[in-house]
Amino acid sequence: MQLKNIKTRVIKMKLSKCGVCRVYSDLAYKFALSLEENEEVESFVCNVELAGVFIGKEPKAYTSDFYITYTDGTVGVRECIPRDKLCKPKNIKLLDASKEFWEAKGVKNWGIVINKEEQISE
């Protein structure tokens, strides 16, 4: 989940299950490629606006990273967040807001995507 009009590096790609997909992190890029290859995924959309969700004092529009339609007709939402930013208070508020928004829309398959824990060799 991020601001709608984020000014950062964008990775743009064309995928058969998404059309033109714009993502803002390597983690989201890798996840988009995994959705493209997943036979259980019919289609997906990147950066779906969370209409009416505002965090903090100033109204800002936010988006969810992936809205996924599965071949069995169900839908799911995934938010991508790096492991090292998972427990920051603002990110917890954003993730909670996303989950509440989608649950109110009837989406029960909501989850987060985090990067693998890095192994430190000594």
Side-chain angles (χ1 to χ4, degrees):
M1 183 172 167
Q2 69 266 335
L3 287 171
K4 180 179 180 185
N5 297 316
I6 190 167
K7 303 234 187 285
T8 188
R9 176 184 76 128
V10 62
I11 303 168
K12 183 178 172 182
M13 62 192 137
K14 186 166 176 122
L15 301 171
S16 65
K17 293 182 181 180
C18 180
V20 177
C21 181
R22 290 176 178 85
V23 294
Y24 301 98
S25 69
D26 291 333
L27 178 61
Y29 171 75
K30 290 175 185 174
F31 187 67
L33 293 178
S34 73
L35 290 174
E36 180 73 12
E37 295 173 4
N38 188 335
E39 293 178 8
E40 295 177 0
V41 173
E42 182 177 311
S43 64
F44 63 96
V45 179
C46 300
N47 307 310
V48 178
E49 185 174 355
L50 302 176
V53 172
F54 301 105
I55 308 293
K57 296 176 183 174
E58 294 182 32
K60 297 178 182 176
Y62 289 93
T63 62
S64 280
D65 294 320
F66 295 96
Y67 181 88
I68 307 160
T69 303
Y70 295 95
T71 54
D72 65 2
T74 62
V75 296
V77 172
R78 295 295 180 270
E79 302 290 2
C80 297
I81 185 162
R83 183 178 296 275
D84 62 334
K85 295 183 178 172
L86 185 59
C87 292
K88 295 191 180 226
K90 182 178 180 182
N91 292 331
I92 292 170
K93 285 180 187 176
L94 291 171
L95 292 170
D96 285 343
S98 171
K99 185 175 183 181
E100 289 171 13
F101 175 87
W102 290 110
E103 283 180 347
K105 299 279 185 192
V107 176
K108 295 181 176 156
N109 185 356
W110 182 94
I112 60 173
V113 177
I114 57 175
N115 53 326
K116 291 183 180 179
E117 192 169 15
E118 307 231 349
Q119 299 294 326
I120 300 173
S121 59
E122 294 181 24

